Amino acid sequence: MLLLALIFYLKYEAPKDEQNFPMVMELLRAGEVREDNDEYWSWYGFDSRVEWCACFVSWCAEQCGYLESGVIPKFSLCSDGVDWFHARGQFQDASYVPAAGDIIFFDWENDGTIDHVGIVESVTNGVVNTIEGNSGDICARRSYSMGSDVKMGLSYLDMMIIHSPQPWMEVNQSSNRYYEENRQVWKALEAALAAGKVRAIGVSNFLKEDIDSLWEAAEIKPMVNQVLCHISNTPAVLISYCQSKGIVMEAYSPVAHGEALKNEHIKAMAEKYGVSIPQLCIRYDLQLGMIVLPKTANPEHMRTNAEIDFTISDEDMNTLMNMEKIKDYGEYSRFPVFGGRK
Protein backbone atom coordinates (compact mmCIF):
# COMPACT_ATOMS: atom_id res chain seq x y z
CA MET A 1 0.00 0.00 0.00
CA LEU A 2 1.30 3.42 -0.92
CA LEU A 3 1.48 5.88 1.95
CA LEU A 4 1.72 9.48 0.83
CA ALA A 5 4.24 11.42 2.87
CA LEU A 6 3.47 14.81 4.25
CA ILE A 7 6.30 17.06 3.15
CA PHE A 8 7.64 20.12 4.94
CA TYR A 9 10.40 22.45 3.85
CA LEU A 10 12.96 24.60 5.55
CA LYS A 11 13.94 27.90 3.96
CA TYR A 12 16.95 29.44 5.61
CA GLU A 13 19.13 32.45 4.99
CA ALA A 14 22.78 31.56 4.53
CA PRO A 15 25.62 34.11 4.65
CA LYS A 16 26.12 35.70 1.24
CA ASP A 17 29.57 34.22 0.82
CA GLU A 18 28.17 30.71 1.24
CA GLN A 19 26.22 29.14 -1.59
CA ASN A 20 24.34 26.86 0.84
CA PHE A 21 23.72 23.20 0.11
CA PRO A 22 24.43 23.17 -3.63
CA MET A 23 27.99 22.57 -2.40
CA VAL A 24 26.75 19.12 -1.38
CA MET A 25 26.00 18.39 -5.02
CA GLU A 26 29.68 19.01 -5.78
CA LEU A 27 30.62 16.61 -2.99
CA LEU A 28 28.34 14.03 -4.56
CA ARG A 29 29.84 14.46 -8.01
CA ALA A 30 33.31 14.19 -6.52
CA GLY A 31 32.37 10.91 -4.88
CA GLU A 32 32.87 12.24 -1.36
CA VAL A 33 29.34 11.34 -0.23
CA ARG A 34 29.40 7.62 0.44
CA GLU A 35 26.41 5.39 -0.05
CA ASP A 36 26.89 3.34 3.09
CA ASN A 37 25.85 4.56 6.50
CA ASP A 38 28.55 4.04 9.11
CA GLU A 39 30.48 7.20 8.23
CA TYR A 40 27.58 9.47 9.14
CA TRP A 41 26.41 8.10 12.46
CA SER A 42 29.98 7.44 13.58
CA TRP A 43 30.95 10.99 12.55
CA TYR A 44 28.13 12.21 14.80
CA GLY A 45 29.54 10.26 17.74
CA PHE A 46 27.38 7.14 17.91
CA ASP A 47 29.08 3.81 18.63
CA SER A 48 26.46 1.77 16.79
CA ARG A 49 23.90 2.27 14.07
CA VAL A 50 21.02 4.70 14.60
CA GLU A 51 18.39 6.11 12.25
CA TRP A 52 20.88 8.38 10.52
CA CYS A 53 19.09 10.63 8.00
CA ALA A 54 19.57 13.68 10.28
CA CYS A 55 23.20 12.70 10.91
CA PHE A 56 23.71 12.82 7.14
CA VAL A 57 22.20 16.31 6.86
CA SER A 58 24.35 17.47 9.78
CA TRP A 59 27.46 16.00 8.14
CA CYS A 60 26.66 17.85 4.94
CA ALA A 61 26.14 21.06 6.92
CA GLU A 62 29.57 20.68 8.47
CA GLN A 63 31.18 20.17 5.06
CA CYS A 64 29.61 23.47 3.97
CA GLY A 65 30.69 25.34 7.12
CA TYR A 66 27.12 25.77 8.36
CA LEU A 67 27.60 24.22 11.79
CA GLU A 68 30.43 26.60 12.57
CA SER A 69 28.50 29.64 11.31
CA GLY A 70 25.33 28.62 13.17
CA VAL A 71 23.17 28.54 10.03
CA ILE A 72 22.14 24.95 10.71
CA PRO A 73 22.34 22.97 13.98
CA LYS A 74 23.97 19.62 14.49
CA PHE A 75 21.03 17.27 15.07
CA SER A 76 20.51 13.51 15.05
CA LEU A 77 16.78 13.51 15.73
CA CYS A 78 14.40 14.99 13.18
CA SER A 79 12.32 16.40 16.03
CA ASP A 80 15.31 18.41 17.32
CA GLY A 81 15.88 19.90 13.89
CA VAL A 82 12.18 20.74 13.52
CA ASP A 83 12.11 22.47 16.91
CA TRP A 84 15.24 24.49 16.10
CA PHE A 85 13.95 25.72 12.74
CA HIS A 86 10.44 26.34 14.04
CA ALA A 87 11.83 28.55 16.80
CA ARG A 88 13.48 30.71 14.13
CA GLY A 89 10.41 30.98 11.93
CA GLN A 90 12.09 29.11 9.08
CA PHE A 91 9.68 26.19 8.74
CA GLN A 92 7.37 26.05 5.73
CA ASP A 93 4.42 23.82 4.88
CA ALA A 94 3.85 21.81 1.70
CA SER A 95 2.52 24.87 -0.18
CA TYR A 96 6.00 26.38 -0.27
CA VAL A 97 7.93 25.98 -3.54
CA PRO A 98 11.39 24.73 -2.55
CA ALA A 99 14.74 25.60 -4.05
CA ALA A 100 18.02 23.72 -4.37
CA GLY A 101 19.70 23.62 -0.99
CA ASP A 102 16.55 23.67 1.12
CA ILE A 103 16.09 20.99 3.76
CA ILE A 104 13.04 18.76 3.31
CA PHE A 105 11.32 16.95 6.18
CA PHE A 106 8.85 14.06 5.86
CA ASP A 107 6.09 12.48 7.93
CA TRP A 108 6.18 9.09 6.20
CA GLU A 109 3.85 7.39 8.63
CA ASN A 110 1.23 10.17 8.50
CA ASP A 111 1.07 10.02 12.30
CA GLY A 112 1.99 13.61 13.04
CA THR A 113 5.63 12.74 13.70
CA ILE A 114 8.28 14.06 11.33
CA ASP A 115 10.52 11.05 10.89
CA HIS A 116 12.81 11.67 7.90
CA VAL A 117 14.88 14.50 6.46
CA GLY A 118 16.86 15.16 3.29
CA ILE A 119 18.23 17.94 1.09
CA VAL A 120 16.61 19.37 -2.03
CA GLU A 121 18.98 18.93 -4.96
CA SER A 122 16.81 20.58 -7.62
CA VAL A 123 13.23 21.37 -8.62
CA THR A 124 12.39 20.72 -12.26
CA ASN A 125 8.97 20.81 -13.93
CA GLY A 126 7.16 20.38 -10.64
CA VAL A 127 9.37 17.53 -9.45
CA VAL A 128 11.44 17.89 -6.27
CA ASN A 129 14.71 15.94 -6.50
CA THR A 130 16.39 15.15 -3.21
CA ILE A 131 19.44 13.59 -1.62
CA GLU A 132 18.63 11.58 1.50
CA GLY A 133 20.63 9.59 3.99
CA ASN A 134 19.14 6.43 5.51
CA SER A 135 16.90 5.94 2.48
CA GLY A 136 16.82 2.16 2.41
CA ASP A 137 19.90 2.41 4.69
CA ILE A 138 21.98 4.12 1.99
CA CYS A 139 22.42 7.63 0.64
CA ALA A 140 20.12 7.94 -2.34
CA ARG A 141 18.55 10.38 -4.75
CA ARG A 142 14.76 10.48 -4.64
CA SER A 143 12.08 12.43 -6.56
CA TYR A 144 8.65 13.67 -5.48
CA SER A 145 5.93 15.32 -7.56
CA MET A 146 4.50 18.64 -6.42
CA GLY A 147 0.81 19.42 -6.98
CA SER A 148 0.32 16.33 -9.08
CA ASP A 149 -2.04 13.38 -8.91
CA VAL A 150 0.89 11.19 -9.90
CA LYS A 151 2.94 10.38 -6.79
CA MET A 152 6.07 8.25 -6.87
CA GLY A 153 5.29 6.99 -10.37
CA LEU A 154 1.72 5.90 -9.62
CA SER A 155 -1.44 7.42 -11.09
CA TYR A 156 -3.56 6.86 -7.99
CA LEU A 157 -3.27 6.52 -4.22
CA ASP A 158 -4.34 3.37 -2.43
CA MET A 159 -5.86 5.36 0.39
CA MET A 160 -6.33 8.92 1.59
CA ILE A 161 -7.53 9.82 5.06
CA ILE A 162 -8.49 12.83 7.13
CA HIS A 163 -5.53 12.71 9.48
CA SER A 164 -7.36 14.22 12.44
CA PRO A 165 -10.80 15.72 13.09
CA GLN A 166 -9.06 18.75 14.61
CA PRO A 167 -5.97 20.78 13.71
CA TRP A 168 -3.03 18.71 14.88
CA MET A 169 -2.09 20.84 17.88
CA GLU A 170 -5.71 20.80 19.07
CA VAL A 171 -6.04 17.02 19.14
CA ASN A 172 -7.43 16.07 22.59
CA GLN A 173 -6.97 19.68 23.67
CA SER A 174 -10.05 21.44 22.26
CA SER A 175 -13.79 20.82 22.56
CA ASN A 176 -14.25 22.04 18.97
CA ARG A 177 -14.67 18.93 16.82
CA TYR A 178 -14.88 20.82 13.48
CA TYR A 179 -17.89 18.80 12.34
CA GLU A 180 -18.80 21.00 9.37
CA GLU A 181 -15.20 21.37 8.19
CA ASN A 182 -14.73 17.60 8.28
CA ARG A 183 -17.90 17.10 6.26
CA GLN A 184 -16.57 19.46 3.61
CA VAL A 185 -13.23 17.66 3.46
CA TRP A 186 -15.07 14.34 3.25
CA LYS A 187 -17.00 15.55 0.19
CA ALA A 188 -13.65 16.25 -1.49
CA LEU A 189 -12.45 12.73 -0.67
CA GLU A 190 -15.66 11.25 -2.05
CA ALA A 191 -15.07 13.19 -5.28
CA ALA A 192 -11.47 11.91 -5.48
CA LEU A 193 -12.70 8.34 -5.00
CA ALA A 194 -15.35 8.76 -7.69
CA ALA A 195 -12.73 10.15 -10.08
CA GLY A 196 -10.46 7.13 -9.53
CA LYS A 197 -7.71 9.18 -7.90
CA VAL A 198 -7.84 7.09 -4.72
CA ARG A 199 -9.01 3.55 -4.04
CA ALA A 200 -10.11 3.97 -0.43
CA ILE A 201 -10.96 6.88 1.85
CA GLY A 202 -11.02 7.01 5.60
CA VAL A 203 -10.25 8.90 8.77
CA SER A 204 -7.75 8.89 11.60
CA ASN A 205 -8.03 9.76 15.29
CA PHE A 206 -11.81 10.10 14.91
CA LEU A 207 -13.92 9.51 18.01
CA LYS A 208 -17.51 8.20 18.03
CA GLU A 209 -19.04 11.66 17.74
CA ASP A 210 -16.77 12.49 14.80
CA ILE A 211 -17.78 9.27 13.03
CA ASP A 212 -21.47 9.95 13.70
CA SER A 213 -21.22 13.47 12.25
CA LEU A 214 -19.69 12.19 9.00
CA TRP A 215 -22.07 9.25 8.87
CA GLU A 216 -25.10 11.53 8.74
CA ALA A 217 -23.89 13.45 5.68
CA ALA A 218 -21.64 10.98 3.83
CA GLU A 219 -22.70 9.34 0.59
CA ILE A 220 -19.72 6.99 0.94
CA LYS A 221 -19.10 5.83 4.48
CA PRO A 222 -15.60 5.96 6.03
CA MET A 223 -13.76 2.77 5.15
CA VAL A 224 -10.97 3.05 7.74
CA ASN A 225 -10.32 4.69 11.08
CA GLN A 226 -6.65 4.78 12.02
CA VAL A 227 -6.11 5.18 15.77
CA LEU A 228 -3.46 4.94 18.45
CA CYS A 229 -3.79 1.43 19.85
CA HIS A 230 -1.28 -0.64 21.78
CA ILE A 231 -1.01 -2.76 24.89
CA SER A 232 -2.21 -0.71 27.90
CA ASN A 233 -3.81 1.97 25.69
CA THR A 234 -6.67 0.36 23.79
CA PRO A 235 -9.80 2.32 22.77
CA ALA A 236 -11.90 -0.85 22.99
CA VAL A 237 -15.33 0.85 22.90
CA LEU A 238 -14.37 2.91 19.85
CA ILE A 239 -12.93 -0.15 18.09
CA SER A 240 -16.09 -2.15 18.71
CA TYR A 241 -18.34 0.71 17.58
CA CYS A 242 -16.46 1.30 14.32
CA GLN A 243 -16.25 -2.39 13.53
CA SER A 244 -20.02 -2.71 14.08
CA LYS A 245 -20.47 -0.09 11.35
CA GLY A 246 -18.17 -1.92 8.94
CA ILE A 247 -15.23 0.44 9.39
CA VAL A 248 -11.83 -1.26 9.21
CA MET A 249 -9.68 -0.31 12.20
CA GLU A 250 -5.96 0.36 11.85
CA ALA A 251 -3.52 0.60 14.75
CA TYR A 252 -0.59 2.99 14.58
CA SER A 253 2.26 3.00 17.10
CA PRO A 254 1.62 -0.65 18.12
CA VAL A 255 4.87 -0.63 20.13
CA ALA A 256 3.94 2.68 21.80
CA HIS A 257 6.68 4.56 19.93
CA GLY A 258 9.19 2.22 21.54
CA GLU A 259 8.00 2.72 25.11
CA ALA A 260 6.60 -0.84 25.25
CA LEU A 261 10.18 -2.08 24.92
CA LYS A 262 10.92 -0.55 28.33
CA ASN A 263 7.90 -2.04 30.12
CA GLU A 264 8.81 -4.96 32.38
CA HIS A 265 5.24 -6.34 32.47
CA ILE A 266 5.04 -6.45 28.68
CA LYS A 267 8.51 -7.98 28.58
CA ALA A 268 7.45 -10.75 30.98
CA MET A 269 4.40 -11.55 28.86
CA ALA A 270 6.52 -11.70 25.70
CA GLU A 271 8.92 -14.10 27.43
CA LYS A 272 5.98 -16.29 28.43
CA TYR A 273 5.17 -16.78 24.73
CA GLY A 274 8.80 -16.97 23.62
CA VAL A 275 8.49 -13.95 21.33
CA SER A 276 9.89 -10.43 21.15
CA ILE A 277 8.04 -7.45 22.59
CA PRO A 278 7.23 -6.06 19.10
CA GLN A 279 5.88 -9.46 18.06
CA LEU A 280 3.64 -9.58 21.14
CA CYS A 281 2.42 -6.02 20.52
CA ILE A 282 1.62 -6.68 16.87
CA ARG A 283 -0.15 -9.95 17.69
CA TYR A 284 -2.20 -8.18 20.37
CA ASP A 285 -3.56 -5.63 17.89
CA LEU A 286 -4.22 -8.30 15.28
CA GLN A 287 -6.32 -10.27 17.75
CA LEU A 288 -8.39 -7.13 18.27
CA GLY A 289 -9.26 -7.41 14.58
CA MET A 290 -7.10 -4.49 13.55
CA ILE A 291 -4.72 -3.85 10.69
CA VAL A 292 -1.37 -3.08 12.29
CA LEU A 293 1.09 -0.43 11.11
CA PRO A 294 4.49 -1.14 12.69
CA LYS A 295 7.29 1.17 11.65
CA THR A 296 10.81 0.04 10.83
CA ALA A 297 13.46 0.58 8.19
CA ASN A 298 15.36 -2.53 9.29
CA PRO A 299 14.82 -5.55 6.97
CA GLU A 300 15.44 -7.99 9.83
CA HIS A 301 12.80 -6.28 11.97
CA MET A 302 10.40 -6.40 9.02
CA ARG A 303 10.94 -10.15 8.82
CA THR A 304 10.50 -10.84 12.55
CA ASN A 305 7.49 -8.51 12.75
CA ALA A 306 5.72 -10.88 10.35
CA GLU A 307 6.59 -13.99 12.40
CA ILE A 308 3.56 -13.90 14.67
CA ASP A 309 2.17 -17.40 14.26
CA PHE A 310 1.05 -17.73 17.86
CA THR A 311 -2.11 -16.92 19.80
CA ILE A 312 -2.43 -14.89 22.98
CA SER A 313 -4.93 -16.48 25.35
CA ASP A 314 -8.16 -14.66 26.21
CA GLU A 315 -6.98 -14.29 29.79
CA ASP A 316 -3.69 -12.73 28.74
CA MET A 317 -5.41 -10.48 26.21
CA ASN A 318 -7.54 -9.15 29.06
CA THR A 319 -4.43 -8.66 31.20
CA LEU A 320 -2.68 -6.74 28.43
CA MET A 321 -5.73 -4.61 27.70
CA ASN A 322 -6.09 -3.62 31.34
CA MET A 323 -2.41 -3.17 32.09
CA GLU A 324 -1.50 0.17 33.67
CA LYS A 325 -1.51 2.76 30.92
CA ILE A 326 1.79 3.96 29.52
CA LYS A 327 1.73 7.65 30.42
CA ASP A 328 5.11 8.86 29.17
CA TYR A 329 5.94 8.57 25.45
CA GLY A 330 9.40 10.07 25.90
CA GLU A 331 10.34 12.63 23.26
CA TYR A 332 6.99 12.06 21.53
CA SER A 333 4.96 13.13 24.56
CA ARG A 334 4.90 16.65 23.15
CA PHE A 335 2.48 15.49 20.44
CA PRO A 336 -1.09 16.02 21.72
CA VAL A 337 -2.30 12.66 20.42
CA PHE A 338 0.08 10.98 22.87
CA GLY A 339 -0.24 13.43 25.71
CA GLY A 340 -3.98 13.55 26.31
CA ARG A 341 -5.79 16.67 27.48
CA LYS A 342 -3.37 19.34 28.76
Side-chain angles (χ1 to χ4, degrees):
M1 181 173 66
L2 173 65
L3 293 179
L4 176 62
L6 299 178
I7 301 175
F8 306 84
Y9 302 105
L10 163 70
K11 181 67 175 177
Y12 57 87
E13 297 297 330
K16 290 184 179 180
D17 60 341
E18 297 176 355
Q19 296 301 310
N20 56 34
F21 271 129
M23 179 176 173
V24 176
M25 318 317 159
E26 298 303 322
L27 294 172
L28 269 172
R29 284 188 280 272
E32 293 181 32
V33 173
R34 293 171 45 185
E35 282 196 351
D36 52 348
N37 64 68
D38 61 330
E39 176 173 333
Y40 304 109
W41 52 253
S42 61
W43 165 84
Y44 197 96
F46 292 104
D47 294 328
S48 59
R49 186 197 179 282
V50 298
E51 300 297 330
W52 53 277
C53 57
C55 296
F56 171 72
V57 170
S58 295
W59 179 88
C60 292
E62 191 215 26
Q63 303 304 305
C64 298
Y66 291 163
L67 298 188
E68 183 177 357
S69 64
V71 172
I72 292 174
K74 183 178 181 180
F75 65 104
S76 62
L77 293 175
C78 290
S79 57
D80 289 344
V82 169
D83 289 344
W84 195 91
F85 295 122
H86 260 305
R88 288 156 179 78
Q90 296 175 302
F91 215 70
Q92 309 291 325
D93 63 21
S95 64
Y96 166 75
V97 178
D102 285 353
I103 295 177
I104 180 171
F105 288 91
F106 302 85
D107 174 8
W108 279 115
E109 297 297 317
N110 286 304
D111 61 359
T113 303
I114 292 179
D115 47 26
H116 188 58
V117 63
I119 302 166
V120 176
E121 180 177 12
S122 63
V123 181
T124 307
N125 297 324
V127 175
V128 181
N129 303 300
T130 66
I131 302 168
E132 301 166 26
N134 199 31
S135 182
D137 211 27
I138 62 171
C139 293
R141 284 185 166 96
R142 298 285 184 249
S143 296
Y144 307 92
S145 298
M146 290 183 59
S148 170
D149 293 332
V150 180
K151 304 293 182 182
M152 302 178 197
L154 299 180
S155 58
Y156 64 87
L157 300 179
D158 282 322
M159 183 172 70
M160 184 172 287
I161 61 176
I162 301 177
H163 188 56
S164 165
Q166 302 166 291
W168 189 241
M169 296 312 294
E170 291 186 37
V171 175
N172 298 330
Q173 315 300 306
S174 169
S175 60
N176 185 353
R177 303 305 298 180
Y178 293 86
Y179 293 135
E180 183 55 34
E181 291 85 351
N182 286 318
R183 288 183 177 190
Q184 292 175 15
V185 174
W186 189 253
K187 289 298 181 185
L189 292 184
E190 288 179 328
L193 182 68
K197 296 180 179 180
V198 296
R199 289 192 168 183
I201 54 178
V203 296
S204 180
N205 298 304
F206 270 50
L207 304 181
K208 178 182 181 297
E209 57 265 36
D210 305 313
I211 294 291
D212 289 343
S213 174
L214 275 190
W215 207 265
E216 293 172 359
E219 295 180 16
I220 302 171
K221 308 306 183 185
M223 301 172 182
V224 172
N225 189 11
Q226 183 185 112
V227 298
L228 175 68
C229 180
H230 58 75
I231 293 170
S232 88
N233 191 348
T234 305
V237 174
L238 177 63
I239 292 170
S240 178
Y241 181 71
C242 289
Q243 289 175 338
S244 73
K245 298 179 81 66
I247 299 173
V248 175
M249 295 299 289
E250 289 187 348
Y252 66 80
S253 299
V255 194
H257 257 302
E259 294 304 312
L261 302 174
K262 308 172 187 177
N263 188 295
E264 291 300 321
H265 299 294
I266 298 176
K267 178 182 178 182
M269 187 69 77
E271 290 175 347
K272 174 181 177 178
Y273 285 90
V275 297
S276 69
I277 290 176
Q279 287 171 323
L280 181 76
C281 291
I282 293 168
R283 184 68 202 181
Y284 171 82
D285 279 342
L286 283 176
Q287 287 187 213
L288 294 175
M290 305 193 75
I291 293 173
V292 190
L293 303 174
K295 173 184 174 182
T296 181
N298 185 311
E300 178 61 20
H301 291 172
M302 293 178 192
R303 183 184 65 79
T304 57
N305 284 349
E307 294 175 348
I308 48 175
D309 188 21
F310 66 100
T311 301
I312 304 171
S313 71
D314 291 344
E315 180 180 359
D316 287 341
M317 283 291 292
N318 185 63
T319 297
L320 294 171
M321 182 177 292
N322 293 289
M323 192 171 287
E324 182 180 358
K325 184 176 179 179
I326 293 174
K327 300 182 178 68
D328 184 358
Y329 288 87
E331 66 175 293
Y332 300 103
S333 294
R334 63 191 178 87
F335 290 104
V337 72
F338 297 124
R341 189 68 181 266
K342 296 180 181 178

